[in-house]
Structure formats: C-alpha cells, structure tokens
Amino acid sequence: MGRIAVALIVSSWVIPISILVNRIVPEPYMDEIFHIPQAQQYCKGNFASWDPMITTPPGLYYLSLAQAASLFPGMFFIRGGSLLSELCSTPILRSVNGVLAILCSVIVYEIITLLRPNIDERKATIFAVVLALYPLHWFFTFLYYTDVASLTTVLAMYLACLKKKYHLSALLGAYAVFIRQTNIVWMLFVACTGVMDITLAHQRESLKVDNLNTTGNKIGHSVPSNRIIVGSNMRRRKPNSAVDNSKSSMTSTLTYSTSHSLGFLDEIKAICLTSWHMKSKLLFSFSPFLVVLVAFVAFVRWNGSVVLGAKEAHAVSPHFAQLMYFSLVSSLALAPLHFSLDQAVHLFRSFWKKRALGFCQWIVAVAAGFISVQSYSIAHAYLLADNRHYTFYLWRKVIQSHWSTKYLLVPLYVYSWFSIFRVLARPKIWVLAYFLATAAVLVPAPLIEFRYYTIPFYLMILHSHTVDTQCLVVIGLGYVVTNVFTMFMFLFRPFNWSHEPGKQRFIW
C-alpha cells in the first residue's frame, strides 16, 4: 500500500506541473536544445547521427525510444518509424523523466524499508515523498535532462544489491553508466557496499554462533552444531525461552558492535580476511561489475576522455572545493537535522571526549578546506558568463562578495562534513567509501552544478539515522517553498539577452 500511496502522491504534482511547463515553455530550453533533437534523430532511426556538443552517452534516448514505442505498440508495427518520430515531441520526451520520477520515488520507498526494517509504513511514505520533493531532483523532473534517469538507475542498482541480486545490480549499473559516465563510480561504490555487507554479515553470524554456543553452555543447554546453518537464510531450533532471550539480545548487541564499535583498522582487517575466505562466492557474485569496469576503461582509452563531446569545456581538473560546496549545500538541504542545537551539542561532546584527537581532526580538516578554496577552486567560464543559473549569483554575490568570504565559509564547510559523518548510520569503512566516491565524482568536475550533488545527497539521507517525522515534515515544507519559488521564476520571470534571440529563464 505504501508504494501505491507514494506513486499516487508524486503523480499528483508531476502530471499538472508537466502540463503547465509544456504549455508555457513548449520549445526546448538550455541543454534540451541538444538532447531533444538528438533523441528525435534516434526516433527517426538515425542512430549514426550524433551532436558533438553532447557529453553524455545515449542511455536516456533509448529509454525515450522505448516509451514512445510503448504508447501505441500496435500502430508502431503497422506504420513503423514514421509514427514513432511523431511521438517524440518535446512534451512526450519530457514525460520520460516524469515517469522515471514516479518510479524513483517507489524505489526510494523500497530502499527505506530495507534499510529500516522497523519503520512504519506511514513514516516510510512521508520519507519517500519528501525526497521526491528535493529541489534539484524535483525541478529537472519537468525537463529533458539526464539527472532523473541517472538517479533512478543508480538507486535501482543499489536496491538490487541490497536484495542480494548482484547480477541484476551490475546490469542496472551498466545502464546507469550508459546514461552518465560518472555513474561508474557509483557502480563501484555499490559493489563495494555489497562486499562489505556480505563479509560483515558473515563475521556477525560467526560471532553470533560462537556466543550462542557459549551462552548455551553457561545455562546448561548446549546448542548442537548440526542444528545451526550459517548463511543468509539461517534457521535455528531453540530449545527453550532462556536461549531465545539470550539469542535475541545477543543478535542486537552483535549487530551494533560489528557496525559501530569495531575500530576502522579492525573493519578493514575483518573485511579483507573474510573476503579472502569467501573469494569464490564473491568472485561469482561481483564478476559482472568487473566486466562493466573493464568495458568502461576500454571506452575511455578509445575515446581519449570520459566525456563524449565538448571535451575542452569539460576537461578533468582538480576541483577540491567542490567537496566543500557539496557539504554545505547538502547540509542546508537538511538544515533541521544538521544545524539544530542538539546536533551542535552532540558534535561538541564527541570531540570533547577525545580532545586531542578531535582538535587534530579539526585542524587538518580546516587546513584542507583553506587549501581547497585557495588553490583548487575553479571559476569556469560557463559559471562566470551564464546568468541563467543560480550558481552565477551565489558565486558573485556570496563567495566573491569579498576576498575573505571564501575563507570565512571554510569552518562552515568543515562543520557540515563532520555533521554528515555523524548522522551516517553505517560502518566507518562504508563512510570512507562514500566520501571517496563523492570525491571521485565531484573533484574532476570543473563546473559548479548543484545537480551533480543529487546522487551523493540521496545516499547520504537514506543512511542518516536521526531523521524523525517532525524533522521530515519541516524539511518537506522547505522543499515545497523552494520548488514554488524556482518554478515561478522559471515560468513567469523570463528575461532577454541582447546578443541572443528568445526568452531566457532562471534555472538551477
């Protein structure tokens, strides 16, 4: 029922706003001027045609082709490609992202219920709906960009991995890369999380069995070894209620200790040792991920670059300041969670308990932040010249408002990262993998585009452990206000450029 409710709620705004956007902005806008004509070429069967200004693979175009063909399958077979090209109009191509946004919200609901088995249906529904309102995801639901398709396939890949369907996960990962190249990083991240889950779960089960045997011996009831089957579908007979209670408490204790109490080096050691002992199983489960990785490396070598077109404008650059911007933007998107008094007090207490270590961490983090904004902050030509993007104004009016502003923001960046690390309810090795994956996606990108932050943001909030219903409602209301403002500015506050015909509109 929760899935249906989420789909209906998201549909209730996707459909009317899509109609409104297509009525007021019927022609392709911004990056749509590249994507829509390219998709229409595919609809005509011209698969050899390619616009050299497009940087991403054609995964979205094939999804659009599939949707157009599915609208009238009978007529498609009768009249062939001529009808299909007629179905690839701007509104229908944009509707692909509307459908994907609804599907994405259902996938988010599924992930929430898997990561939080004890969550009630009402809260899971609210959680999924609020995430569907996230402004960077919500806005591009109504335009023909790759962001919604990219997020949907990455989350579908992650969901399949959580359900231990690793070959399906790799297949979805391959298609995610076929939509956007940087998703190769998230595919590797998902594969790593799968390995972590298997190895840590195996260790947890081994510890559980050992402790159950010890507990059984202490209470005078030994547990026969032939009645314990260690595996993902483990079943046990319980001789009495005393052992039941012991097992229940032991399970929760061991789960917590394995995920949270192990030191960082202990986690690495446990994963490496267990992976070696389970190498055959892991190789069988995750070899498809390796195949995709090898194919991607071969493509980059053949292409000479990660991007397909406009290679000069998207050259890889060490842009470490992107990590600073991401931390603050993502924390502000969850302001009631990260900038509450309780969060600040908890962070202060955690550092105060280990003052020497905490002080060193802050010094290193602040120093890294200063170096990033001083030496590895890039003002891309598109950022400086294109006043249609909100980042243009944030750069000029905030970051460049005074020479000292970019340095004054560093403590806020650092606080945001420490707050993110605190709310992530995952083992330390998972948090490190998440940070490295985020860095691998964002640091090479020379252009500041907040929509690049969407996937790491979703993974962060899905694994945050302190989000209550009241906090979700406040966050959701903030998203609604932001969405109303950005859509109003986009639709009803156009402006003109003297050097280019047509109306210009504000966009993320």
Side-chain angles (χ1 to χ4, degrees):
M1 185 61 186
R3 302 177 193 87
I4 298 174
V6 169
L8 289 176
I9 293 171
V10 175
S11 300
S12 69
W13 71 65
V14 167
I15 295 172
I17 296 178
S18 295
I19 294 172
L20 181 64
V21 169
N22 287 314
R23 181 172 297 176
I24 298 177
V25 190
E27 298 299 323
Y29 180 70
M30 195 76 80
D31 288 4
E32 286 185 323
I33 64 174
F34 308 113
H35 291 303
I36 288 179
Q38 183 62 58
Q40 290 171 340
Q41 287 296 319
Y42 275 44
C43 290
K44 294 175 182 178
N46 298 330
F47 296 103
S49 171
W50 187 258
D51 188 334
M53 291 301 295
I54 296 175
T55 61
T56 52
L60 177 62
Y61 313 142
Y62 283 104
L63 287 177
S64 306
L65 201 62
Q67 175 177 289
S70 67
L71 292 178
F72 299 101
M75 293 299 293
F76 170 69
F77 286 113
I78 294 172
R79 295 177 57 184
S82 61
L83 176 66
L84 191 58
S85 62
E86 294 171 9
L87 291 175
C88 290
S89 63
T90 298
I92 290 180
L93 289 174
R94 286 174 175 172
S95 71
V96 172
N97 279 336
V99 173
L100 289 173
I102 297 169
L103 176 61
C104 184
S105 64
V106 175
I107 293 172
V108 167
Y109 177 88
E110 291 283 346
I111 294 175
I112 291 168
T113 54
L114 277 176
L115 294 176
R116 297 169 171 81
N118 297 323
I119 194 171
D120 62 87
E121 188 177 281
R122 176 175 170 271
K123 183 176 179 181
T125 301
I126 294 173
F127 204 154
V129 170
V130 168
L131 283 183
L133 287 166
Y134 175 60
L136 275 304
H137 170 66
W138 184 89
F139 187 89
F140 290 101
T141 296
F142 310 104
L143 297 176
Y144 195 63
Y145 276 59
T146 60
D147 299 87
V148 176
S150 175
L151 175 65
T152 303
T153 50
V154 168
L155 292 182
M157 168 179 61
Y158 187 45
L159 176 61
C161 186
L162 289 176
K163 291 185 174 183
K164 304 187 187 305
K165 298 177 181 179
Y166 301 116
H167 290 187
L168 175 60
S169 180
L171 182 62
L172 290 167
Y175 203 83
V177 176
F178 195 50
I179 292 173
R180 182 176 284 176
Q181 302 95 311
T182 53
N183 287 337
I184 190 68
V185 175
W186 297 117
M187 190 203 72
L188 294 176
F189 170 77
V190 167
C192 288
T193 61
V195 172
M196 291 178 207
D197 289 342
I198 289 176
T199 53
L200 291 177
H202 180 81
Q203 184 194 38
R204 184 164 58 245
E205 296 298 346
S206 299
L207 290 172
K208 192 186 302 182
V209 170
D210 292 341
N211 281 276
L212 285 174
N213 284 329
T214 302
T215 305
N217 289 330
K218 286 181 178 180
I219 64 176
H221 294 279
S222 62
V223 182
S225 60
N226 61 352
R227 292 193 182 182
I228 297 178
I229 303 173
V230 179
S232 60
N233 297 314
M234 189 162 58
R235 298 168 63 183
R236 298 184 180 86
R237 290 188 181 182
K238 309 177 185 78
N240 55 34
S241 59
V243 177
D244 289 350
N245 294 334
S246 298
K247 288 164 74 175
S248 176
S249 61
M250 192 66 65
T251 298
S252 60
T253 302
L254 287 170
T255 301
Y256 178 82
S257 63
T258 303
S259 300
H260 299 277
S261 299
L262 282 178
F264 177 67
L265 295 179
D266 292 329
E267 287 181 0
I268 295 178
K269 181 181 177 181
I271 290 172
C272 291
L273 289 176
T274 309
S275 297
W276 175 252
H277 291 301
M278 302 177 66
K279 54 184 178 292
S280 297
K281 177 183 178 181
L282 292 177
L283 185 61
F284 173 76
S285 297
F286 294 97
S287 56
F289 290 95
L290 294 176
V291 172
V292 178
L293 176 61
V294 170
F296 179 79
V297 172
F299 160 76
V300 173
R301 184 177 179 84
W302 169 79
N303 186 53
S305 174
V306 174
V307 298
L308 271 71
K311 296 177 182 178
E312 297 79 10
H314 295 84
V316 173
S317 307
H319 195 180
F320 288 96
Q322 285 271 34
L323 289 172
M324 305 295 109
Y325 307 145
F326 164 77
S327 67
L328 183 56
V329 169
S330 298
S331 296
L332 288 174
L334 300 170
L337 175 62
H338 291 286
F339 293 99
S340 65
L341 181 60
D342 287 343
Q343 179 74 346
V345 169
H346 277 105
L347 279 175
F348 177 79
R349 287 177 177 173
S350 66
F351 282 106
W352 189 253
K353 285 180 182 179
K354 299 179 180 179
R355 290 184 288 276
L357 177 61
F359 180 76
C360 290
Q361 288 176 336
W362 271 95
I363 290 297
V364 170
V366 170
F370 275 110
I371 294 172
S372 296
V373 300
Q374 170 61 31
S375 303
Y376 298 98
S377 178
I378 299 174
H380 195 279
Y382 291 174
L383 173 68
L384 299 177
D386 197 339
N387 66 343
R388 296 171 295 182
H389 292 280
Y390 292 113
T391 48
F392 170 87
Y393 301 97
L394 289 173
W395 181 263
R396 292 185 60 190
K397 304 296 184 181
V398 179
I399 296 176
Q400 294 295 312
S401 61
H402 189 268
W403 69 266
S404 63
T405 305
K406 63 180 181 180
Y407 303 110
L408 294 175
L409 289 172
V410 168
L412 201 54
Y413 299 147
V414 173
Y415 169 86
S416 298
W417 265 121
F418 278 112
S419 182
I420 290 171
F421 291 150
R422 181 185 175 274
V423 302
L424 286 173
R426 298 292 288 178
K428 300 177 185 68
I429 187 68
W430 189 98
V431 176
L432 176 63
Y434 168 78
F435 177 80
L436 292 177
T438 303
V441 170
L442 298 182
V443 170
L447 184 60
I448 302 173
E449 285 265 24
F450 288 165
R451 58 195 177 95
Y452 297 164
Y453 304 164
T454 302
I455 292 175
F457 172 81
Y458 266 73
L459 291 172
M460 182 256 290
I461 183 60
L462 285 170
H463 292 88
S464 297
H465 61 83
T466 55
V467 184
D468 56 32
T469 304
Q470 183 178 359
C471 183
L472 283 173
V473 171
V474 174
I475 292 170
L477 290 175
Y479 290 172
V480 169
V481 172
T482 303
N483 292 335
V484 169
F485 171 79
T486 54
M487 188 54 68
F488 176 82
M489 295 297 291
F490 176 71
L491 296 177
F492 303 110
R493 287 293 182 268
F495 59 97
N496 296 305
W497 280 348
S498 58
H499 61 281
E500 186 173 313
K503 293 181 178 180
Q504 308 302 324
R505 299 178 185 275
F506 294 105
I507 196 172
W508 276 108

